[in-house]
Amino acid sequence: MTAKNDYKLDHKELTQWYKKNHRALPWRANKDPYRIWLSEVMLQQTTVVAVIPYFEKFLTSFPTVKHLAEAEESSVLENWAGLGYYSRARNLHKAAKALASQGFPKTAAELLELPGFGPYTSRAVASIAFGEKVGVLDGNVIRVLSRRFGLKVEWWNNKGRDQLQKISDELALQGDADVVNQALMELGATVCTPQKVMCMMCPWVSRCVARKENKIDVLPLKKPRKESEVWVWKPQVSLKDGKVGLVVNNYAPFLKGQMIFPGEIALEKNKPKAYDAKHNITHHDIFIQISKKKSLSNKDVQWVNVTELKKINPSSLLQKVLHKVDV
């Protein structure tokens, strides 16, 4: 661990680099917490280049928190389609309803109480929009700090995350937290990347422990991969008058709480010999065996126009099933 007075030098080098080298991104145009929040949610699991057109389109449809709060969920999901991980959009919509009535809290602790606001998003919005002196910790920051300080920490566990979070917080305390946090993320996104590392462009090149010890390729430590699970899903697809029957998913381990086809699902040791289609969601390998039903006895079935299905549930899994059925 570096001595405390080193943080001041780290901070100075980092912020000077950021002011000269940062990219002009649409969510950096001002300190509007709505725009900052939206960008942070969209950037989870998605690259900057991919997000920009979605961000601009979304703002055209919902220019303020109030517009988002008053929108139908189907409209929000439609504007989100293509970004994946649709629970993010649903939580965005839920949080917007609370924010539209009470306004944006200015601290990470208060933001953390809202749907979809985890530790990272709360700290990012609080520091960038409101200047709260708290550090952030996302994938880019984890990589940068692990290499800079030569830390072999299991960042996916609480102990390792806490160690890195303390360093991030210490850096944020040295000056403008919004600049420091964006600088760390920018450094990880453009210079200290997972594969193509451009050390000579880094403000910390002369003090990076991983570079000195030739450990750039092994830091940060790689999170153990979760073993894939084989799930055999037997969706019951019933079509009548241009409508398809759906239920709220309370039986499958994927797309929880979303509208999907009723059916059965089982965890198996081996993949089945016969199946209609295959789909992957995170570590779930889903083998689909379609059951066509003329009628459904489930009293909780809701009938949805086939043409509206993407608005109800944009997941490509449902479309994949429908393509195997004569609509």
Side-chain angles (χ1 to χ4, degrees):
M1 186 70 67
T2 188
K4 192 166 184 179
N5 62 350
D6 277 345
Y7 287 125
K8 291 182 179 179
L9 183 55
D10 278 324
H11 163 268
K12 183 180 179 182
E13 292 169 340
L14 181 66
T15 54
Q16 285 178 346
W17 171 86
Y18 177 74
K19 288 173 182 177
K20 292 178 182 177
N21 297 284
H22 71 273
R23 294 166 294 176
L25 301 174
W27 44 87
R28 289 175 176 166
N30 55 46
K31 298 289 185 182
D32 179 1
Y34 173 56
R35 293 169 64 92
I36 292 166
W37 168 47
L38 177 60
S39 72
E40 292 298 344
V41 176
M42 284 189 168
L43 285 165
Q44 294 168 22
Q45 311 291 339
T46 317
T47 64
V48 166
V49 173
V51 160
I52 290 175
Y54 285 101
F55 178 80
E56 292 173 340
K57 175 190 170 188
F58 202 91
L59 280 180
T60 300
S61 299
F62 316 112
T64 66
V65 170
K66 188 172 184 293
H67 287 94
L68 179 56
E70 292 173 350
E72 294 291 331
E73 184 182 277
S74 59
S75 178
V76 176
L77 291 175
E78 189 176 9
N79 277 269
W80 193 270
L83 280 169
Y85 299 90
Y86 292 96
S87 59
R88 292 183 295 168
R90 290 185 172 90
N91 283 329
L92 196 78
H93 192 214
K94 289 175 187 175
K97 292 179 179 179
L99 292 167
S101 60
Q102 71 186 39
F104 263 90
K106 295 183 178 180
T107 68
E110 292 172 291
L111 288 166
L112 195 56
E113 300 298 318
L114 294 165
F117 274 85
Y120 165 75
T121 306
S122 302
R123 287 167 168 265
V125 174
S127 61
I128 298 170
F130 303 114
E132 185 181 13
K133 288 186 178 297
V134 291
V136 296
L137 200 65
D138 70 348
N140 284 321
V141 179
I142 287 168
R143 183 168 56 258
V144 168
L145 296 182
S146 294
R147 288 174 175 171
R148 160 64 186 92
F149 297 103
L151 297 173
K152 284 184 161 183
V153 297
E154 295 181 351
W155 50 267
W156 54 92
N157 293 328
N158 289 338
K159 184 179 178 182
R161 290 189 78 86
D162 287 346
Q163 188 175 350
L164 291 166
Q165 185 65 67
K166 285 176 183 176
I167 297 174
S168 183
D169 285 339
E170 193 65 51
L171 287 167
L173 285 170
Q174 302 303 317
D176 295 330
D178 64 322
V179 176
V180 172
N181 287 336
Q182 290 184 90
L184 283 170
M185 293 186 281
E186 188 80 348
L187 190 61
T190 62
V191 174
C192 193
T193 58
Q195 281 87 33
K196 190 179 178 182
V197 186
M198 294 173 279
C199 290
M200 298 317 294
M201 296 177 66
C202 178
W204 289 339
V205 62
S206 64
R207 287 148 32 83
C208 177
V209 175
R211 186 167 186 269
K212 287 178 181 177
E213 298 180 358
N214 198 27
K215 292 179 179 177
I216 289 172
D217 292 339
V218 297
L219 292 176
L221 296 181
K222 287 181 172 59
K223 181 180 179 180
R225 289 189 64 179
K226 201 167 187 178
E227 285 191 22
S228 295
E229 297 174 351
V230 173
W231 289 88
V232 176
W233 183 37
K234 299 179 179 179
Q236 297 175 356
V237 183
S238 181
L239 294 154
K240 63 179 182 181
D241 302 324
K243 294 184 177 182
V244 63
L246 302 177
V247 295
V248 175
N249 176 24
N250 59 8
Y251 72 92
F254 45 84
L255 304 180
K256 291 180 180 178
Q258 299 181 39
M259 300 296 291
I260 67 170
F261 304 114
E264 300 174 353
I265 193 160
L267 178 63
E268 304 288 353
K269 288 185 178 179
N270 303 303
K271 71 177 187 179
K273 292 181 180 179
Y275 51 92
D276 297 299
K278 183 178 181 293
H279 193 80
N280 297 91
I281 299 179
T282 60
H283 63 289
H284 302 106
D285 290 344
I286 306 161
F287 294 87
I288 305 161
Q289 297 175 340
I290 301 170
S291 171
K292 296 177 186 178
K293 294 277 185 177
K294 289 186 178 180
S295 61
L296 295 171
S297 58
N298 192 323
K299 61 182 176 61
D300 296 320
V301 168
Q302 298 179 40
W303 294 92
V304 174
N305 284 321
V306 172
T307 55
E308 299 289 307
L309 184 58
K310 281 187 178 180
K311 292 184 180 180
I312 302 299
N313 189 334
S315 171
S316 60
L317 173 58
L318 272 65
Q319 298 299 322
K320 188 176 286 188
V321 172
L322 271 188
H323 287 158
K324 294 290 180 177
V325 179
D326 294 327
V327 179

